Amino acid sequence: MPFSPDVKAVFSPDGKTVLTASRDQTAKLWDVETGKQIQTFKGHSAPLNSAVFSPDGKRVLTAGDQTARLWDIATGKEIQTFTGHSARVNSAVFSPDGKTVLTASDDQTAKLWDIATGKELCSLLSLTDNTWAVTTPTGRYDASNEGNVNGLHWVLGLEPIALNQLKRFYYEPGLLARIMAGKEPPFPVPDFTKVQVKLYPEVVVLEPKDGDKSCTIQLQSRGGGIGPVMVKVDGALLTQDARPKGFDPNQKNATLKVDLSHLAPLPNGQKRQIEVSAENATGEVSIQSRGVIAAYAPPKAATTTPPTLWALVVGVSQYAEPALKLRFAAKDAQDFAGALTLGAKKLFGAEHVQLQLLTTESNAKPTKANILAALEKIRKSAQPADILVVYLAGHGASLRLPGTRDDLYCYLTQEAHTASATELTEKPLRESTTLTSDELARFVNAQDGIQATKKVVVIDTCAAGAAQQALTASRELTPEDTSRARAIAQLQDKTAFHVLMGCAADRVSYEAGEFGQGLLTYALLEGMQNASPFVEVTPLFKHVEERVPVLAAGIGGVQRPQISSPKGSNFPFGELGEVEKKSIPLAVRKARVLEPTFLDENGLDSLNLSEKVAALLREESDASARGGKLLYVGKGALPGALKPSGLYRQEGEMLLLNVKLSRDGKVVQSIPVSGVATKAGELAISIAKAIRQACDTFKPGG
């Protein structure tokens, strides 16, 4: 084969031909046996950097100049040209199903293309500060830091529009997974390249002098009018719209006054940060301006009172609707409250720790009224130097309110009798049976909400309304997943909370870990136990984010936790010495037990032994009996779990049975059990006892 210099070569899938890519701007196909040239693919205007076969071996993909090209092997004709990169394309590959193409270029992007149409599906960008973004030609995007990345812009005329300025309309968590799965957007948005876009107003904040009681904002329309003017203080929402009632959004100029008299001073003479942004009032898409920041020192003298940790810890296991029952949520809340109290008392002193525990297993119940009352107590007492921790365990649901682009996360309170997102769009039901992310945000707004400037919220929930699937089945991204991620990002944007959010796809996945404990809570307690010695928000959340997927190995419905934090913010909220660490109630690993199957000699379960034993194992596994080493998982397959089974037969008045315990398809123990034939209930008790005793000796997961 007479090759040009710098030739790259690959075999076809069947090994009968070789494809070469050369600096002579061509790709060539060769017969392996004869060495003869079969086909030439010519059309690039620069040396080729790569050439590959399609998975079915019928097409060729080449990369060179600023394009990638698709060719038909039989005819040598070009089928498709993928154009859109602004620099040399270095490589191009097919997806395993042959439906999409991925290209990588010197323009610092990778692009995914649809083979059938030749259209760009999305661009993938990895930035030097370890952030990333996925964008589509129509404006939809996903990015690290909940959509807040620096340096990426659309350009509207001469105006650069940062991605996060389009967040309310175009931010779509999980975008790449949805595109790869061929899914339509969960919520329709207008094509940003085709809509009538009008600019937001220019914002000027006249920096208030120290001690002033108000802030002056000057606004000038740039063609889109003057829309809502949002003001934040230290990252927490002061007002969603500072415009007065009756304000004319079409006026060209406006001056607004924002009252700051209620703001308390920060300790050590620190200044508070005021951030103002505004939206356009007209046009098809609302765009928020970049925040304009000013520093401000309130007039009151700062106190030197030591900080107090305020905590609301909630766990709901029992609901008005029995079908929503959970085993671990209430006990998880109790365990977290115990660990949090240990660390906070050592760091701040017992007199500076105020913790309210509300669970269905305690005297103080997690009703909507009790939760609101606890938050109101904190609102009235907390100071800027204080720390707020909110922990919620139980069921959750995510939804988008009809006719809006706002997503809500709803934590179900004890009164809940439904977790249907459709039903929860009804305001009276939602307000009486859930705590929403918007309600929580209102309690910490800068206007009259909880003044603590260091805030943490941990949400350890499962999607109660989701249909249960096989435990090991991977879950496709759902509209609720996208809505939940957007809701949590919106919560962080409004409150400056450090948010740690864990979510299992259904109750079975939520309770399928080896610990008789929610996996996120287990990882939290484990991280606190490993603290050295200060428990800090950022490293603790990072530990949980990395640990949960490891703990959930084989459980398809447990997702990687979502972290949303103010940039560059970290602080301790506990200190744990060796004595305190030993007191943290970290659950022991348990042997997970699947649904038992017991049959008689006719292949039937005439005595209903399987159901009787399952009921006993379920009772044994209840959260109130957490000291044992058995965790009943039920139906499905789960790596490392024990499957009880056996055949029973009658000999005279006795029933004989060998209980086989299998793990991953292999019998690991066989236990003979017998009982009186007329007393199947007693036999079921003996079988359950034998399984429990066997679990006490098994090494979980091993």
Side-chain angles (χ1 to χ4, degrees):
M1 302 179 192
F3 297 147
S4 299
D6 301 318
V7 170
K8 299 177 178 67
V10 292
F11 281 99
S12 61
D14 63 9
K16 294 180 180 180
T17 56
V18 166
L19 178 67
T20 59
S22 171
R23 294 185 60 82
D24 67 4
Q25 304 179 14
T26 70
K28 296 181 185 293
L29 187 69
W30 309 82
D31 184 280
V32 169
E33 289 190 0
T34 65
K36 291 183 178 180
Q37 180 180 322
I38 302 172
Q39 197 65 267
T40 298
F41 307 101
K42 186 176 181 180
H44 284 280
S45 59
L48 298 193
N49 295 309
S50 75
V52 295
F53 286 97
S54 63
D56 62 8
K58 296 180 180 180
R59 293 168 295 178
V60 163
L61 180 65
T62 58
D65 49 53
Q66 295 181 9
T67 69
R69 298 171 188 256
L70 183 69
W71 311 82
D72 180 76
I73 286 181
T75 65
K77 291 184 178 180
E78 183 178 321
I79 303 171
Q80 202 68 264
T81 302
F82 305 103
T83 304
H85 283 290
S86 59
R88 180 179 63 180
V89 178
N90 293 314
S91 64
V93 294
F94 287 95
S95 61
D97 62 8
K99 295 181 179 180
T100 55
V101 162
L102 181 66
T103 57
S105 167
D106 279 347
D107 64 11
Q108 308 302 307
T109 71
K111 293 181 182 289
L112 192 67
W113 310 82
D114 179 71
I115 284 182
T117 65
K119 292 183 178 179
E120 178 186 334
L121 296 174
C122 65
S123 291
L124 292 77
L125 304 96
S126 179
L127 307 179
T128 55
D129 60 356
N130 294 322
T131 58
W132 56 267
V134 179
T135 65
T136 72
T138 60
R140 291 186 294 148
Y141 80 97
D142 188 12
S144 52
N145 301 328
E146 289 65 55
N148 299 313
V149 293
N150 297 319
L152 294 178
H153 306 82
W154 286 84
V155 177
L156 184 61
L158 298 176
E159 182 77 12
I161 308 293
L163 287 186
N164 62 1
Q165 292 179 255
L166 303 173
K167 192 170 185 177
R168 186 163 177 249
F169 271 74
Y170 293 99
Y171 174 51
E172 187 178 322
L175 175 61
L176 181 59
R178 188 173 294 279
I179 290 173
M180 293 296 292
K183 299 284 186 180
E184 290 297 317
F187 308 108
V189 293
D191 185 335
F192 188 65
T193 63
K194 297 179 180 178
V195 297
Q196 180 190 31
V197 179
K198 294 191 175 181
L199 282 177
Y200 41 81
E202 181 180 353
V203 179
V204 175
V205 180
L206 301 183
E207 189 162 305
K209 296 178 181 179
D210 294 351
D212 283 356
K213 295 183 178 181
S214 65
C215 176
T216 301
I217 303 169
Q218 295 178 342
L219 302 142
Q220 182 175 350
S221 173
R222 294 196 290 169
I226 300 175
V229 179
M230 183 168 65
V231 183
K232 292 181 178 182
V233 176
D234 300 326
L237 190 65
L238 178 66
T239 177
Q240 191 76 43
D241 189 359
R243 298 176 303 172
K245 187 176 181 180
F247 181 88
D248 179 9
N250 296 312
Q251 61 192 61
K252 293 183 178 181
N253 299 282
T255 299
L256 306 179
K257 290 278 189 180
V258 178
D259 180 23
L260 304 177
S261 62
H262 61 283
L263 293 180
L266 296 179
N268 304 319
Q270 299 176 69
K271 291 195 174 185
R272 308 205 73 158
Q273 188 180 76
I274 300 168
E275 181 179 356
V276 181
S277 58
E279 297 179 7
N280 50 303
T282 60
E284 295 180 55
V285 176
S286 296
I287 306 176
Q288 190 176 53
S289 69
R290 291 178 178 82
V292 177
I293 295 173
Y296 170 65
K300 299 176 184 177
T303 64
T304 57
T305 304
T308 293
L309 182 135
W310 298 87
L312 173 60
V313 181
V314 186
V316 186
S317 288
Q318 306 286 341
Y319 293 86
E321 169 52 60
L324 295 175
K325 178 183 177 181
L326 293 170
R327 287 182 287 178
F328 306 146
K331 186 65 165 57
D332 282 353
Q334 182 180 324
D335 290 348
F336 178 75
L340 181 61
T341 301
L342 283 171
K345 283 184 176 180
K346 187 173 179 65
L347 181 60
F348 304 111
E351 69 276 17
H352 294 293
V353 177
Q354 299 289 331
L355 186 146
Q356 174 69 66
L357 175 65
L358 302 174
T359 80
T360 45
E361 294 179 3
S362 63
N363 292 329
K365 301 300 183 184
T367 63
K368 177 68 178 285
N370 284 348
I371 293 173
L372 294 182
L375 288 169
E376 177 63 15
K377 178 182 177 181
I378 299 172
R379 187 190 71 81
K380 290 180 176 179
S381 304
Q383 299 301 310
D386 293 344
I387 294 172
L388 171 67
V389 177
V390 177
Y391 170 98
L392 306 171
H395 280 305
S398 303
L399 55 95
R400 173 167 288 193
L401 297 179
T404 75
R405 297 190 180 277
D406 297 321
D407 298 271
L408 278 182
Y409 185 77
C410 302
Y411 173 70
L412 274 60
T413 62
Q414 179 178 300
E415 301 94 334
H417 50 81
T418 181
S420 164
T422 302
E423 293 180 35
L424 289 173
T425 58
E426 298 295 329
K427 187 176 180 179
L429 178 63
R430 186 174 67 251
E431 288 186 342
S432 61
T433 63
T434 77
L435 176 71
T436 70
S437 49
D438 271 5
E439 287 177 304
L440 187 56
R442 284 196 291 272
F443 264 100
V444 295
N445 72 74
Q447 180 73 32
D448 56 3
I450 297 171
Q451 293 298 303
T453 53
K454 298 175 180 178
K455 302 179 284 286
V456 177
V457 62
V458 176
I459 304 173
D460 187 5
T461 59
C462 66
Q468 296 179 6
Q469 304 179 32
L471 277 169
T472 54
S474 59
R475 265 64 170 185
E476 290 188 350
L477 196 70
T478 66
E480 183 172 279
D481 293 328
T482 301
S483 182
R484 179 176 58 251
R486 279 176 54 90
I488 296 305
Q490 289 167 10
L491 174 65
Q492 199 282 322
D493 285 345
K494 292 178 180 178
T495 63
F497 260 123
H498 288 261
V499 182
L500 175 63
M501 169 77 175
C503 187
D506 50 50
R507 179 187 59 79
V508 174
S509 298
Y510 182 71
E511 298 183 334
E514 294 181 293
F515 305 97
Q517 194 165 47
L519 294 182
L520 184 137
T521 296
Y522 180 90
L524 268 175
L525 298 178
E526 182 185 61
M528 294 174 76
Q529 213 175 52
N530 293 333
S532 56
F534 295 105
V535 181
E536 295 183 313
V537 176
T538 300
L540 179 62
F541 279 16
K542 188 66 176 176
H543 171 85
V544 174
E545 181 187 32
E546 295 174 350
R547 190 73 172 122
V548 166
V550 175
L551 298 173
I555 307 173
V558 175
Q559 301 167 5
R560 189 179 187 90
Q562 178 184 349
I563 296 176
S564 183
S565 293
K567 189 174 182 181
S569 174
N570 182 38
F571 55 87
F573 61 94
E575 180 183 359
L576 295 165
E578 293 306 315
V579 173
E580 290 82 13
K581 289 179 181 180
K582 291 178 181 178
S583 300
I584 290 180
L586 197 62
V588 296
R589 298 177 73 188
K590 300 174 182 290
R592 293 174 289 182
V593 180
L594 300 173
E595 184 180 45
T597 302
F598 299 113
L599 303 173
D600 58 25
E601 293 175 292
N602 297 316
L604 304 172
D605 188 4
S606 55
L607 298 178
N608 203 24
L609 271 183
S610 301
E611 187 174 324
K612 287 182 171 69
V613 172
L616 292 166
L617 293 176
R618 193 177 297 112
E619 182 179 339
E620 177 74 24
S621 179
D622 193 87
S624 62
R626 222 180 246 196
K629 294 185 178 180
L630 182 152
L631 177 63
Y632 182 70
V633 176
K635 294 182 179 180
L638 189 65
L642 295 172
K643 168 71 175 177
S645 63
L647 297 175
Y648 55 88
R649 69 183 190 280
Q650 185 169 347
E651 290 188 4
E653 296 182 354
M654 300 298 292
L655 276 176
L656 305 178
L657 170 68
N658 257 348
V659 178
K660 295 181 179 179
L661 295 178
S662 304
R663 175 177 280 155
D664 299 329
K666 296 180 180 180
V667 177
V668 293
Q669 189 169 350
S670 184
I671 311 166
V673 180
S674 61
V676 178
T678 57
K679 297 181 178 180
E682 292 183 3
L683 179 61
I685 292 173
S686 298
I687 295 171
K689 181 179 179 181
I691 294 171
R692 182 183 69 248
Q693 291 174 340
C695 287
D696 288 342
T697 64
F698 271 106
K699 180 182 178 182

